[in-house]
Structures are given as C-alpha cells and as structure tokens.
Amino acid sequence: MFTAQNISPELTVEESSSDIWIPSPYVVADKHVENDDLVTFVYEPASEDILDPMQPGQFNMLYAFGIGEIPISVSSLISDHPRITHTIQNVGAVSKACCNMRVGDQIGLRGPFGTPWPVEDAKFKDVIIMAGGVGFAPLRPVVEFIEEYRDDYGEVNFLFGTRDPHSILFHQDVISLQSDPSVNFQITVDHSFSNWRGNVGVVTTLVEKAEFDPENTVAFVCGPEIMMRYGAYSLIDAGVDEENIFISMERNMKCAIGHCGHCQYGPLFVCKDGPVFLYPAIKNYLNIREL
Amino acid sequence: MSKSEVHKYRVSTEDLQQIFKALSSKDYQNIGPIQRDGAIMLEKIQSFDQLAAGFHEDLDKGVYRLSQKNDGSLFQYTVGPQSFKKYLYPPRRKLWAATKTGNGFNVEEGDQPPAKMAFWGIRSCEIRAIEILDRIFLRGEFSNKWYEKARQDLFIVAAGCTKPSGNCFCTSTQTGPAPKGGFDLSVVEVIDKKNYFILEIGSEKGQKLVNKIKLQPASPAEIQNADKLLAASEKKMSKRFDPEEAAKILMENPDHIHWNEVAKRCLSCANCTLVCPTCFCSSTEDITEITGDHTERWLRWDSCFNGDFSYIHGGQIRPTTKSRYRQWLTHKMSGWYDQFDSSGCVGCGRCITWCPVGIDLTEELLAMKS
C-alpha cells in the first residue's frame, strides 16, 4: 500500500456552479493493486467541494482528465467520509486511465447516484450475500455494515464465485471472512488449479451450504447478468421469497441522472431506478435478449 | 384565462411584423421557419421578411417536397425536418473545459444558455413536445440548468396547423392540430384575397407584448373561418391508433415475430431519432488538445440506433437492428408512460417523412396488434 504525501495540487473551480455535469476534484490518497486487472483506490477531496456521504450499493461517476467518465460502485465505506473508496476493473479507456493513476493524482467525481442495498431493512433477518467475480466490490460495503451491526442480523452467509484462484478479489477480506465464525463464508471457482482444495463449480451450487430460514431471509446478489439470473432461481428454489431478493445491474451510462438515455432497461433507468433493484421489478427483463 | 374571456383578434401580416419588432426590441432572438436547402428550416432571423413565404410541403413516407406559390402565406407548410428542440437542447454544447496543472486540473465554464428566444410558427404537436422535454429535464431529481434557463425565457408564437400531411397523426396522440395552451400568442392563418390571421393571446407575457399594438377584434364570421380550417385539418388526418393500447401491446410483446420484419427494412440510420421533437438521448465527448494540457467535455445528441450506444465492457447490449428498433419504439410509445407519465410521441410524423425506407410506425403498431 502507498500513502498520500504532500497532497496540494493547485485547484480552482472557476465558479461554484450547481451544474450537475461538473465533477468535484478529488485526489488519490491510497492505491492498492488487487490482482491483474483490478485496483482499489481511496480518494480524498482536493477542495471544499465534497460529495454527500454514500450508501452501500450507490455509485459515482469517475472522470479521468481528457479521457472520459465511467460509473463505479463504492467498494468500501470504512474510510471515513469524505474519503471515498472505489475498486476499478481495467477494461476500457477510462478505467485504464483511472487504474494507472498514482497517489496524489487528481480525479473528478460526481455523485453519489442510484439506489442503495437495503441493509437496514434486512436487520433481524438471515442474510445471503451472493457475489460473482468483481460483483464482490459493490457488495463489500454490505459485508462491512453487517459486521459492524452483527448482533442485529440472524445467520449471515456469503457465497462467492470467482473465475479461478488467481482472480480472487479482496484477498485479505476473504482470509478474514474464512476465519470469522459469525459468517458462513463459502467460495467456489469456475476453473481450479492443482493446488486448489476448495469448491469447483458455479456459485449457485453453494446455496445448499448456506444456513438460513427461507421465510426470514434477505438476499443481495451481484455479478454477471447470467449469474444473477440463475442465482435468483436457485434462491427461490431454496425457498427464499422473491420479494426479498435484490440485484445490482450494470449498463452504459453518460449522465447518471436519467437525462442521457443510455442505461435504459425496459422502462427503467438503471442510474436512478437502480442500480439495486428488487428482483420482481426486473425478473421479466432478465429473460429478454438484447433488451 | 377561462374560455369566455378568450378574445380573438383579426391581425394582418403587417401586425405580425409589429409583434416581431416588439419582440426584437425586448431583446428576444426571433427564431422561425425559413427556406434553405430545399426544406423549411428553423433559423435565427433578424427581419420578418426572412420568414419563408408561400411555401407548401408535400410529405409522404420517406418523401419531402417543397413547392412555392405566390399566395404570400407564412404557415401553410406542415413541419420541416427540424424541431425547435435544437434551441432548447442543442445538438452539441460544451459542458465545461479543463486545463492541466501539475497533478491536477482546473475546470472552466462551458457554453452559456442563449439569450431570450421567441419561437415563430410552432405547431401544437411541438408545444406538447416541449412539455414532454420539460418532464425529462426539469421534473426529476436533477434539473438541466441550461434547458431550464432557455425554457424560462422562451416566448412562443404558435400557428394553428391547417395543413396536416399524410404522415401526421396528432388526432390520435391528442396533441393537435389546434394549439390548446402552452403559448404566449397563437395565430391561425386564413388564406383569402388578403391573407389574415386570427390571433389568440395565451399568457400575460403575450398580453403585455401586444398592449401597445392596436388590435382589431375578430368578427364571429372570421373566427368561424379559422375554426373551420382547424376542423377540416382534423378530418384530413387518416392515420389512427390508440396510444394506450399501443403501449400495452409493445410492453407485452418484446419477442413478437414482427420485430424481425421491421429489422429487415430498418437501416439503423438514426434519422427518426434526430428529427423527433422528443428524443432526448445524448452522449459525452472528450476533445483533448494534442499537447494533452487542455480538454473539453461536450454533450451531443445520441441515438439508440447507434452501435456504441449500449456498449459496456465485453460488447454491445443491443448489437442487432431488431433490438434497436424495438428499444426505440417500445420506449417512445410505452416505457415513456412509466418514466414520464405520458407518451413520447406527439404525432408530428417526422420519423415517417425522414425514414429513408419509409417505415411508418403507425403501420408497425397495427401489424403488432394483429
């Protein structure tokens, strides 16, 4: 890990404009390379222009100078506000520019946007967190929240599916979750290596290892669309009420405020009606190709 | 204003010229129909004489023909390719710029909203279209400040539509042809030995503007002439569909076999979305100097028919024409109700006129129904 030193870039926003398009200047305070293509950043404000506190599941638009903007979910809320943590996968021009940033570099942030995971409403219930690959990142604040208020929840299960042992995200979290007696943590990989002694297969196979009272269980699901679809099926098969299943969607976004039209999903805007949806609100759309 | 209080006046072309001048003197930029490139275009105009006079349109599926008569008429065309949307929500605008400073960058202001604007000859369908844009840009949690400013300062001189084309269907969408509210002034043009207009005042702003102009109250016969023209206009529109029924059919039939049929004809060219007065999709563009020190962020119109519109890492969500046409029509006619509590279609027919292969959405809706 790196630490920020002497952060004092010259910054002046010419006008304290309320224009939603103008990003707030933040700087990289900390950078942690997770694996081949994922990097976690902690940003802190570079001016008095500070974003509102975020809730688990919400996202910001991240602007890299001269390259563009992308929507990224908050991946930890442990850093005290106004610090903001994002985990970025290097998959395109903007995400690459963001991943290449170093401590002290400036980024632009707009947000927070979107609907949160309803962690408060899940209190006094059993919880299933089902994550696929980088889908762990938007769910990480949920894990943090539950750990902080652990006594307020029933059984807590974390079912994590990932591509292969090398792609395991948040390695330190995984190690501590594995030794945490208060969480039933299960992990599986799609493809194993010879030294892997754990589960092999898709994440839905872990549902039978979860401990929960189906009638009093809330599930939070995030991962590739196909994984979320079958994840929801497997939870419903196990008796979980579909009204208690939440899913986080991803679409192209330019504005994040319902004005640009890019993130439309049926009659919904993923940016403002989501990204976290109640499963029944979108279950019919999940089956329609190229929606 | 209640119905009984509505006063109508008989005004001449010269009177309209006075109104035009009054708007100019109150710092309004007049914008109205002119003839350019063989089409009726909406441009900023400095003098009343610039308005397209004597022009008539002949519209059909994928057909636009302009002809000129020596009748001195001002509003006898139907609707050109452009809508007034482009002045409230420009095709391109600079959101902001930034200059590099060491590790960081300074943000500078982008384009500022225009000065006061007056729209001339706007049809009822398009007034309703502006009200739809209001729902998108002003009524949500976030407001488009640029649009808000342009909209606040807007003066609307409407023209009752007495020349609907074969592509029009505002009687089905209940958005015309007579302007019902939403204007400051409205005229119905009566072609006679000497053309005249029946003027209606729709707002206090409109009243104030014409206060100093001597207006002659219209006679009952003159008012009746104008009403007859509008009634005849309604009868001329033969296309019929039920918007609420269409909304239901579309939402229930994402896998209808007819989508494949439309996709065989649709070129995914995006014309329909560019001429539509309510299509609002946009994209951002970053333009950086070769030195890498200065950059600009631009907002520009985008279309759900464009290839990269739905791109996320890994590919396009909608790679096929079928899925793009389905998205466009289902959104416009159905999803729009869920999003903005109204249809996204005002029946202006531009998407039919300017479709290079003449796809008529009302026909596609009928085909989906059967």
Side-chain angles (χ1 to χ4, degrees):
Chain A
M1 288 221 187
F2 306 89
T3 4
Q5 283 172 358
N6 305 326
I7 301 159
S8 58
E10 311 137 54
L11 281 163
T12 46
V13 174
E14 299 242 322
E15 191 204 15
S16 62
S17 170
S18 56
D19 193 331
I20 187 63
W21 281 103
I22 295 182
S24 305
Y26 275 63
V27 290
V28 177
D30 195 7
K31 175 177 183 177
H32 177 71
V33 176
E34 301 286 350
N35 59 28
D36 289 351
D37 60 354
L38 281 149
V39 188
T40 297
F41 289 93
V42 177
Y43 304 111
E44 56 186 32
S47 73
E48 282 171 13
D49 183 5
I50 292 166
L51 304 189
D52 289 340
M54 301 192 77
Q55 298 178 63
Q58 290 193 302
F59 68 95
N60 285 319
M61 294 299 284
L62 274 59
Y63 169 76
F65 180 84
I67 312 290
E69 255 188 345
I70 45 167
I72 302 284
S73 292
V74 60
S75 66
S76 171
L77 289 170
I78 284 179
S79 286
D80 288 336
H81 177 74
R83 286 185 153 211
I84 293 172
T85 305
H86 286 294
T87 299
I88 305 167
Q89 189 166 28
N90 182 353
V91 287
V94 183
S95 57
K96 183 179 178 184
C98 288
C99 285
N100 286 342
M101 283 187 189
R102 288 177 293 196
V103 170
D105 285 350
Q106 186 185 326
I107 191 165
L109 298 183
R110 293 192 294 128
F113 299 117
T115 53
W117 298 107
V119 282
E120 283 289 347
D121 297 344
K123 279 185 174 171
F124 313 111
K125 292 177 179 163
D126 294 344
V127 175
I128 298 174
I129 297 162
M130 186 187 274
V134 71
F136 190 166
L139 284 166
R140 195 169 172 225
V142 175
V143 178
E144 291 170 357
F145 189 89
I146 290 174
E147 286 190 327
E148 192 174 346
Y149 300 96
R150 183 63 190 88
D151 293 345
D152 292 349
Y153 292 87
E155 299 289 343
V156 175
N157 303 273
F158 189 161
L159 315 180
F160 184 32
T162 192
R163 197 170 59 232
D164 58 53
H166 284 170
S167 71
I168 294 171
L169 182 57
F170 304 134
H171 226 272
Q172 289 304 319
D173 293 32
V174 168
I175 289 165
S176 64
L177 278 165
Q178 276 175 325
S179 58
D180 183 348
S182 74
V183 176
N184 174 20
F185 180 80
Q186 301 287 338
I187 185 169
T188 181
V189 296
D190 296 338
H191 310 288
S192 69
F193 301 139
S194 57
N195 59 351
W196 176 256
R197 296 287 174 270
N199 302 304
V200 178
V202 290
V203 70
T204 51
T205 59
L206 298 178
V207 174
E208 62 182 32
K209 296 178 194 273
E211 293 150 14
F212 59 98
D213 169 11
E215 287 176 8
N216 191 37
T217 295
V218 175
F220 303 118
V221 185
C222 187
E225 247 172 83
I226 188 142
M227 168 255 153
M228 295 196 286
R229 203 165 105 205
Y230 284 95
Y233 292 161
S234 67
L235 292 165
I236 291 164
D237 284 349
V240 179
D241 187 343
E242 63 175 22
E243 294 286 341
N244 287 326
I245 299 174
F246 295 87
I247 280 182
S248 180
M249 294 295 295
E250 180 183 17
R251 280 294 180 273
N252 184 315
M253 288 181 196
K254 300 294 182 196
C255 72
I257 57 173
H259 289 183
C260 81
H262 280 256
C263 70
Q264 288 183 78
Y265 188 51
L268 303 165
F269 287 98
V270 173
C271 70
K272 60 175 189 178
D273 300 320
V276 176
F277 290 100
L278 187 64
Y279 173 70
I282 56 164
K283 66 173 180 180
N284 291 335
Y285 309 134
L286 284 167
N287 292 320
I288 302 171
R289 289 185 60 154
E290 300 183 7
L291 192 69
Chain B
M1 266 186 238
S2 73
K3 189 98 188 169
S4 60
E5 286 173 313
V6 173
H7 296 292
K8 293 189 175 177
Y9 302 92
R10 179 202 159 118
V11 301
S12 63
T13 308
E14 290 71 29
D15 294 330
L16 286 189
Q17 207 156 358
Q18 291 298 314
I19 292 171
F20 188 97
K21 280 184 185 158
L23 283 164
S24 293
S25 70
K26 288 193 183 317
D27 295 328
Y28 281 97
Q29 169 67 64
N30 285 299
I31 294 167
I34 65 146
Q35 189 272 125
R36 181 162 63 75
D37 300 337
I40 295 295
M41 307 294 250
L42 303 172
E43 305 265 312
K44 292 177 182 172
I45 45 177
Q46 313 315 323
S47 114
F48 190 80
D49 305 335
Q50 285 175 273
L51 287 174
F55 284 99
H56 297 252
E57 289 173 339
D58 177 18
L59 312 182
D60 205 340
K61 294 174 205 165
V63 173
Y64 181 95
R65 298 271 180 274
L66 197 63
S67 58
Q68 196 171 16
K69 285 185 194 164
N70 198 18
D71 62 4
S73 65
L74 288 177
F75 304 121
Q76 295 302 305
Y77 61 91
T78 311
V79 284
Q82 300 181 325
S83 75
F84 284 96
K85 175 180 86 175
K86 73 171 194 168
Y87 289 101
L88 295 170
Y89 173 48
R92 272 173 65 77
R93 84 175 156 97
K94 186 162 73 174
L95 291 171
W96 49 271
T99 306
K100 214 166 196 169
T101 57
N103 285 350
F105 51 88
N106 289 337
V107 174
E108 300 134 28
E109 268 182 55
D111 291 341
Q112 295 305 303
K116 299 194 290 185
M117 293 184 288
F119 291 171
W120 280 81
I122 186 168
R123 302 301 151 110
S124 175
C125 55
E126 229 184 294
I127 294 175
R128 302 282 88 86
I130 291 176
E131 287 170 358
I132 288 172
L133 292 178
D134 289 350
R135 288 165 186 260
I136 297 158
F137 293 135
L138 303 180
R139 306 272 169 81
E141 188 187 345
F142 300 99
S143 173
N144 177 334
K145 299 284 174 201
W146 204 101
Y147 180 91
E148 195 179 324
K149 174 75 171 53
R151 182 75 175 91
Q152 269 168 3
D153 294 342
L154 185 60
F155 193 98
I156 289 180
V157 185
C161 192
T162 56
K163 277 290 185 71
S165 79
N167 293 340
C168 290
F169 53 100
C170 67
T171 44
S172 292
T173 51
Q174 299 185 325
T175 49
K180 295 198 173 81
F183 55 80
D184 298 299
L185 299 174
S186 174
V187 295
V188 179
E189 184 176 39
V190 182
I191 302 299
D192 207 341
K193 278 173 217 149
K194 187 163 176 23
N195 299 346
Y196 64 90
F197 303 85
I198 300 301
L199 172 79
E200 190 182 326
I201 295 162
S203 72
E204 274 181 38
K205 204 159 58 165
Q207 181 67 56
K208 254 176 129 175
L209 189 94
V210 296
N211 266 346
K212 283 186 189 154
I213 299 166
K214 199 168 168 243
L215 295 174
Q216 178 193 338
S219 72
E222 287 161 351
I223 293 173
Q224 210 180 15
N225 280 345
D227 289 348
K228 267 189 205 161
L229 286 170
L230 290 169
S233 176
E234 249 178 71
K235 290 214 179 79
K236 277 183 213 157
M237 277 175 269
S238 57
K239 288 188 197 300
R240 287 275 179 280
F241 79 95
D242 174 353
E244 308 225 337
E245 184 192 39
K248 196 164 170 286
I249 291 169
L250 288 166
M251 205 39 90
E252 286 170 357
N253 286 288
D255 296 317
H256 198 289
I257 192 159
H258 189 69
W259 295 121
N260 295 316
E261 298 303 312
V262 193
K264 282 179 195 163
R265 287 172 280 140
C266 176
L267 306 174
S268 204
C269 73
N271 262 16
C272 50
T273 56
L274 294 177
V275 295
C276 179
T278 68
C279 269
F280 62 90
C281 285
S282 60
S283 192
T284 46
E285 250 173 21
D286 294 271
I287 299 167
T288 307
E289 274 178 14
I290 198 160
T291 57
D293 290 337
H294 188 78
T295 188
E296 294 176 349
R297 287 220 96 198
W298 287 74
L299 189 70
R300 63 160 175 81
W301 289 356
D302 200 355
S303 168
C304 52
F305 284 95
N306 288 341
D308 59 357
F309 184 84
S310 62
Y311 183 86
I312 54 173
H313 60 90
Q316 301 167 16
I317 300 284
R318 300 183 203 107
T320 62
T321 297
K322 173 187 161 182
S323 61
R324 293 178 199 167
Y325 191 87
R326 179 180 70 187
Q327 167 63 24
W328 178 68
L329 194 63
T330 309
H331 177 222
K332 182 127 318 232
M333 296 289 187
S334 185
W336 213 289
Y337 283 98
D338 301 274
Q339 295 171 350
F340 306 111
D341 217 12
S342 84
S343 170
C345 178
V346 295
C348 73
R350 284 185 179 93
C351 56
I352 306 171
T353 309
W354 295 96
C355 176
V357 294
I359 295 174
D360 177 343
L361 78 171
T362 63
E363 285 176 8
E364 307 310 329
L365 286 166
L366 283 176
M368 297 273 301
K369 195 174 157 184
S370 55

